[in-house]
Amino acid sequence: MIEIDNLNKTFVKQIRKKGFKGFLFPEKKEFTAVNNISFNVKKGEIIGFVGPNGAGKSTTIKMLTGIIHPTSGKVTVAGLDPSKDRKKLAYKIGCMFGQKSGLWMHLPAIDTYMLLGAMYDIEKEELEKRIDKLVKEFGIEEIVKIPVRKLSLGQRMICEIVAIMLHNPEILFLDEPTIGLDIMVKEKVRKAILDVNEKFGTTIFLTSHDLGDIEKVCDRIIIIDGGRIIKDENIEELKHEYLSEKFVEIIYDENIENVEFDYSIVSKEENKVIIKVDVSKIKMSEILEKFMKYGNIIDIEALPLPLEEVIYDIYTRVEGGE
Amino acid sequence: MRKYIEIFKYSMKTQLKFILDYFVSLISFGIHIFVFNELWDYILKGKEVAGYTREELIWYIIIAEFITYSTFKSYKKIGEMVKNGTIANMLIKPVDFINYTIAENLSVYVKALVNAVFAIVLGLILVGPIDVTIQGIIFTVIASIIGVFIGILIQTFVGLIAFFTEENSSFWLIIQKFTFFLVFTPLEFYPEIVQKIFSILPTTYLIYAPARIFTRFEIGEAIVLLGLEILSGLVLYGIIRLMYMKGVRKINVNGG
């Protein structure tokens, strides 16, 4: 469905130096946003594309959707070259850029759907059937006739998802779809994404800074940093790699003070401390013995590392040159 | 074609929500005409200038103003779309952005119609009718339709400047200045060198052609003016196409 082979994108940036001459003749510097990346995505996969700010995520998505052209390398999306067949590709993909609405704000969502249907050359009768089906599927019958600007952010996001599904795309590109949403609405959007994949077999390519999105929605994660892919793995396999690393939460019956820990402390509250340990190197009995001297322990729990911590660890290792 | 018709229809729907704003802008239009009427009355004191009587001058200004008021400031929206990256939403759809923009702005003809009715009533009240023929009226209507369309192209042109500069509103200010001179006074009032400069600008024909045809109709001149209007529209459309092609190549859409 998506094939990327040795993809590169460099930009030329102008750096103005001091002085009048520097202003008139700025230095041109090449900046590599995407550096020789390769990966494939199969039909029906849900991919999480993750990386710190400036890693090259958005640049990669823009090349996949044909918004910008690669400097070198090969890209095929749904059998098409995005830089050559952008219009044809538009019929096969749906895109949602979290911060940029695709709906007409002054009109009800249903009007946007009719307009989008015309844009995608969907016959009126067929369009009405699809709208009807999708609106019922996502439970937005009550809100599609209300002007979009009067909807809550969460309602708007669900309407956006319906909008990008109207033309039955084979692939959805979702760039930060849950940005700025509260936890309840995030869950709704995540469920909607999973429903789209399950019911329609749509391949999903998702970027998000919220690793909860990735953890709960994606099958596979691709981590990009400094324009390069540093990890491309199934999510469960990735977490298994870090299985021995755990957060251990210890709760006392009263506040603890003047304590010294040899361990990596994640957080310390009045009667609770959370540490990060590698249980393959340190036994739980050892931990228990050390912490018992600070007070009466009423609860102790070993939790697997959240994905966020795993990713942070990977970034740190890459920065450290590992 | 169906998609652009639908875009036009939905734009009309959106614009009808701003109908109150239209009527408020008519107050501004009325004040402008009243002020110009008083000004030229004071300046001319019953005389003629460059062959125009006061009545013909005021009608000239009314037609010219009606055209300039029959526009949406869509250059702002287009510029914003380019600068904040929302244009990406259009690039990923199977629709041509330029044709989409034009189709969206065609709903300005509703505003133009309201303005035209108001302009005629205002003119009849302020200065009374002038000598016009049916032929003259037909040519004026055609020239006005083309003039409003050129106005849409000018807005698109200024909007697309955002591909190449940080700020495009200063270009709109420059265009407004050129249009102001021609609204206030016909082309004939200016020295020959100035007339030659104005003759290559599309803003000249969008205003001067319909206003001139209405006030001093002569079939030969009217045909030439219509031809120049159409030519300036075609040239402007070509420039817009080139700008868009170059702009999309250097696009750097924000996000992520």
Side-chain angles (χ1 to χ4, degrees):
Chain A
M1 189 55 62
I2 298 176
E3 287 166 26
I4 292 182
D5 193 23
N6 297 322
L7 190 66
N8 285 281
K9 179 67 184 174
T10 50
F11 293 105
V12 174
K13 286 198 171 176
Q14 289 195 338
I15 300 162
R16 287 214 163 86
K17 290 182 167 172
K18 284 184 185 169
F20 188 65
K21 203 178 170 188
F23 177 80
L24 282 180
F25 303 105
E27 188 188 330
K28 287 187 182 175
K29 216 172 175 183
E30 254 190 20
F31 158 70
T32 303
V34 173
N35 193 347
N36 208 33
I37 65 170
S38 300
F39 61 84
N40 290 347
V41 176
K42 289 184 207 145
K43 186 172 164 45
E45 271 195 289
I46 308 180
I47 303 294
F49 195 56
V50 168
N53 291 335
K57 301 186 299 296
S58 288
T59 306
T60 305
I61 284 201
K62 285 167 204 167
M63 287 192 280
L64 291 174
T65 52
I67 295 171
I68 59 177
H69 298 179
T71 306
S72 66
K74 200 175 164 201
V75 182
T76 312
V77 177
L80 296 167
D81 180 341
S83 51
K84 290 183 183 143
D85 298 310
R86 182 157 52 88
K87 283 256 170 69
K88 270 192 207 163
L89 183 64
Y91 289 96
K92 297 187 178 218
I93 64 171
C95 301
M96 192 159 94
F97 301 108
Q99 294 162 314
K100 298 170 184 67
S101 179
L103 305 170
W104 271 256
M105 299 304 273
H106 294 285
L107 297 174
I110 189 83
D111 287 348
T112 299
Y113 299 157
M114 295 303 290
L115 180 50
L116 287 171
M119 281 190 189
Y120 285 97
D121 305 317
I122 305 168
E123 289 302 320
K124 206 170 176 193
E125 225 176 277
E126 171 63 25
L127 177 63
E128 281 166 3
K129 277 187 201 159
R130 286 194 203 178
I131 292 173
D132 204 42
K133 184 180 175 189
L134 285 167
V135 161
K136 283 193 178 114
E137 205 73 70
F138 290 97
I140 55 170
E141 296 98 320
E142 306 276 310
I143 61 172
V144 280
K145 291 184 181 168
I146 300 170
V148 169
R149 60 183 168 82
K150 291 186 179 177
L151 300 179
S152 69
L153 192 50
Q155 290 171 328
R156 227 180 275 175
M157 295 306 284
I158 304 295
C159 289
E160 296 267 6
I161 290 175
V162 170
I164 61 174
M165 286 301 298
L166 278 173
H167 57 288
N168 285 345
E170 293 174 34
I171 308 167
L172 286 186
F173 291 95
L174 307 175
D175 193 1
E176 305 276 3
T178 65
I179 194 165
L181 303 180
D182 65 45
I183 187 69
M184 299 289 285
V185 177
K186 275 189 195 196
E187 287 301 321
K188 278 188 186 166
V189 173
R190 287 168 188 168
K191 185 179 175 305
I193 294 169
L194 286 168
D195 285 347
V196 157
N197 175 255
E198 197 183 301
K199 289 171 183 169
F200 303 102
T202 313
T203 307
I204 303 204
F205 196 88
L206 166 71
T207 73
S208 182
H209 280 296
D210 183 340
L211 291 170
D213 291 346
I214 309 295
E215 196 161 6
K216 292 183 183 181
V217 169
C218 301
D219 309 315
R220 180 174 144 211
I221 185 167
I222 298 172
I223 305 174
I224 185 168
D225 190 15
R228 289 178 196 277
I229 289 177
I230 57 171
K231 209 84 172 167
D232 180 354
E233 215 165 323
N234 181 281
I235 291 224
E236 290 309 316
E237 279 169 18
L238 185 69
K239 283 162 103 174
H240 189 78
E241 248 181 73
Y242 286 78
L243 207 59
S244 60
E245 301 246 5
K246 293 217 188 275
F247 279 172
V248 177
E249 186 184 68
I250 305 155
I251 303 173
Y252 295 87
D253 66 351
E254 58 187 8
N255 295 351
I256 52 162
E257 287 166 12
N258 301 324
V259 292
E260 285 171 22
F261 301 126
D262 295 334
Y263 305 96
S264 169
I265 298 169
V266 176
S267 76
K268 189 199 167 298
E269 291 164 34
E270 285 161 353
N271 70 327
K272 184 164 80 174
V273 63
I274 300 174
I275 58 171
K276 183 179 168 187
V277 288
D278 183 343
V279 295
S280 65
K281 292 176 183 160
I282 305 168
K283 290 178 189 169
M284 285 296 285
S285 55
E286 211 178 295
I287 297 168
L288 200 59
E289 203 183 300
K290 284 198 175 178
F291 281 86
M292 270 170 68
K293 63 185 180 189
Y294 297 110
N296 193 24
I297 295 172
I298 56 171
D299 195 11
I300 183 164
E301 195 177 358
L303 304 160
L305 285 193
L307 187 63
E308 193 155 334
E309 195 64 30
V310 171
I311 305 295
Y312 177 76
D313 198 58
I314 293 170
Y315 291 161
T316 316
R317 286 185 193 185
V318 166
E319 275 172 26
E322 287 181 46
Chain B
M1 190 48 96
R2 176 187 153 215
K3 57 183 90 175
Y4 300 109
I5 293 170
E6 291 296 316
I7 290 163
F8 166 68
K9 276 160 63 179
Y10 284 103
S11 170
M12 285 275 293
K13 248 183 161 176
T14 309
Q15 291 309 323
L16 286 172
K17 293 181 187 302
F18 299 104
I19 202 106
L20 190 61
D21 294 348
Y22 285 1
F23 288 108
V24 169
S25 78
L26 289 178
I27 296 172
S28 166
F29 184 178
I31 291 170
H32 274 191
I33 300 305
F34 179 77
V35 167
F36 283 139
N37 181 45
E38 295 300 303
L39 196 59
W40 279 116
D41 191 28
Y42 179 79
I43 292 169
L44 292 178
K45 291 184 174 42
K47 291 181 195 160
E48 285 185 7
V49 62
Y52 284 83
T53 63
R54 182 186 73 89
E55 291 76 15
E56 285 169 343
L57 251 183
I58 298 307
W59 272 106
Y60 173 93
I61 292 168
I62 286 172
I63 301 297
E65 275 278 60
F66 136 71
I67 297 286
T68 58
Y69 268 81
S70 301
T71 182
F72 295 140
K73 301 283 185 286
S74 56
Y75 79 90
K76 280 188 191 170
K77 184 183 170 187
I78 298 166
E80 279 301 314
M81 284 178 80
V82 170
K83 282 182 261 190
N84 70 16
T86 323
I87 194 170
N89 277 341
M90 298 313 302
L91 294 176
I92 51 168
K93 291 186 173 69
V95 66
D96 180 275
F97 179 69
I98 300 299
N99 291 343
Y100 165 84
T101 302
I102 292 170
E104 198 183 32
N105 282 283
L106 284 177
S107 54
V108 79
Y109 281 104
V110 172
K111 191 177 178 186
L113 193 60
V114 172
N115 288 345
V117 170
F118 181 78
I120 290 165
V121 168
L122 187 66
L124 290 171
I125 293 169
L126 271 180
V127 294
I130 57 169
D131 213 9
V132 288
T133 61
I134 301 288
Q135 225 181 11
I137 290 170
I138 292 170
F139 269 81
T140 305
V141 168
I142 296 170
S144 301
I145 291 170
I146 300 170
V148 169
F149 189 79
I150 291 176
I152 294 171
L153 295 180
I154 289 172
Q155 291 289 326
T156 310
F157 166 77
V158 176
L160 292 179
I161 286 172
F163 273 126
F164 308 101
T165 63
E166 288 297 316
E167 188 54 57
N168 62 349
S169 52
S170 46
F171 290 90
W172 174 244
L173 285 172
I174 294 168
I175 285 169
Q176 271 193 310
K177 295 295 168 270
F178 279 115
T179 54
F180 173 75
F181 292 129
L182 281 175
V183 165
F184 187 56
T185 46
L187 196 59
E188 300 89 313
F189 282 36
Y190 296 99
E192 212 175 300
I193 181 84
V194 175
Q195 289 187 42
K196 283 202 167 98
I197 294 167
F198 270 115
S199 69
I200 58 166
L201 300 173
T203 46
T204 303
Y205 301 105
L206 100 105
I207 293 160
Y208 178 71
R212 170 74 182 182
I213 288 170
F214 185 77
T215 50
R216 308 301 295 271
F217 178 72
E218 193 275 310
I219 184 86
E221 187 189 58
I223 291 170
V224 169
L225 283 172
L226 274 186
L228 286 168
E229 251 197 321
I230 292 168
L231 182 64
S232 66
L234 287 171
V235 168
L236 194 48
Y237 184 77
I239 292 170
I240 285 166
R241 276 283 166 203
L242 266 168
M243 282 172 78
Y244 180 67
M245 212 164 68
K246 287 221 169 267
V248 165
R249 275 205 205 117
K250 68 187 280 201
I251 203 163
N252 186 16
V253 177
N254 297 328

